[in-house]
């Protein structure tokens, strides 16, 4: 009789642990998933204390699930080191904050196409400046987002 009571108690405890662990692993259904696939034409002129950088071309932004996004750059990059053809995709890990429409980006990898002539270090200094960055998303119209950094609008991204 004692073994039956202990076995029943153990089953009840294991069942409670199972349901508690399921409730903790349940995804946050209230948090909206960010889904973006857009592209915009750009002309950047960035003045820095020791250099000037310009980019003319296009930038695309596409989410790849809930944690990764692709920033695609194509066009011309003009730096003090020279003029370069830019054709690459920067893979970024992201964390989206829907309460203030902020994307925290963390550089993960680059995919460079054959026509790209820009050295990695020049692209990093010209475009990224850091492995971590923050973008602000603002709805511009039904199919367009205004992408900004901490102080400046960067480009309008049109839905693809």
């Amino acid at each position: 009789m004692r073994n039956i009571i202990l076995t029943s108690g153990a089953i009840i405890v294991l069942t409670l642990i199972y349901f508690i662990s399921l409730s903790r692993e349940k995804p946050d259904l209230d948090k909206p998933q960010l889904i973006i696939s857009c592209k915009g034409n750009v002309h950047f002129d960035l003045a820095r204390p020791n250099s000037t950088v310009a980019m003319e071309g296009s930038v695309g932004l596409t989410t790849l699930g809930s944690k990764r996004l692709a920033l695609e750059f194509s066009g011309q990059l003009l730096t003090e080191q020279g003029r370069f053809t830019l054709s690459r995709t920067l893979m970024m890990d992201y964390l989206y904050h829907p309460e203030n429409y902020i994307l925290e980006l963390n550089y993960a990898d680059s995919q460079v196409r054959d026509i790209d002539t820009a050295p990695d270090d020049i692209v990093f200094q010209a475009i990224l400046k850091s492995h971590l960055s923050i973008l602000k998303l603002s709805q511009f119209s039904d199919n367009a987002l205004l992408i900004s950094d901490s102080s400046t609008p960067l480009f309008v991204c049109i839905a693809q």
Side-chain angles (χ1 to χ4, degrees):
M1 179 73 169
R2 187 168 186 250
N3 286 341
I4 294 174
I5 293 173
L6 287 176
T7 304
S8 298
I11 291 172
I12 291 171
V13 169
L14 288 174
T15 304
L16 283 174
I17 291 171
Y18 175 75
F19 283 114
I20 290 170
S21 68
L22 275 182
S23 67
R24 286 188 182 163
E25 293 174 12
K26 188 171 90 174
D28 187 2
L29 299 177
D30 295 334
K31 191 173 185 178
Q33 182 176 355
L34 182 65
I35 300 172
I36 298 175
S37 179
C38 61
K39 192 170 192 172
N41 294 328
V42 296
H43 179 92
F44 294 137
D45 285 313
L46 305 170
R48 302 234 169 72
N50 297 332
S51 66
T52 303
V53 173
M55 185 198 160
E56 178 111 24
S58 66
V59 176
L61 177 69
T62 304
T63 52
L64 306 169
S66 62
K67 296 180 183 194
R68 181 66 63 103
L69 66 81
L71 275 172
E72 183 179 356
F73 292 89
S74 63
Q76 295 293 311
L77 182 65
L78 180 61
T79 70
E80 291 180 351
Q81 290 83 12
R83 178 182 285 278
F84 305 98
T85 299
L86 193 58
S87 183
R88 66 180 60 208
T89 302
L90 304 179
M91 303 305 290
M92 311 289 278
D93 293 326
Y94 78 89
L95 180 60
Y96 178 56
H97 299 277
E99 65 278 1
N100 53 7
Y101 309 104
I102 296 291
L103 271 176
E104 285 182 51
L105 302 176
N106 187 9
Y107 172 77
D109 190 24
S110 287
Q111 297 174 356
V112 181
R113 288 167 205 66
D114 290 342
I115 63 171
D116 191 303
T117 61
D120 290 339
D121 61 331
I122 290 176
V123 172
F124 186 82
Q125 290 301 318
I127 294 175
L128 290 177
K129 299 176 280 294
S130 171
H131 282 282
L132 300 172
S133 57
I134 294 178
L135 293 178
K136 172 112 173 111
L137 307 176
S138 304
Q139 193 71 41
F140 190 69
S141 71
D142 288 342
N143 68 337
L145 286 173
L146 177 63
I147 310 292
S148 307
D149 67 6
S150 61
S151 62
T152 309
L154 299 174
F155 62 96
V156 173
C157 199
I158 307 297
Q160 299 288 298

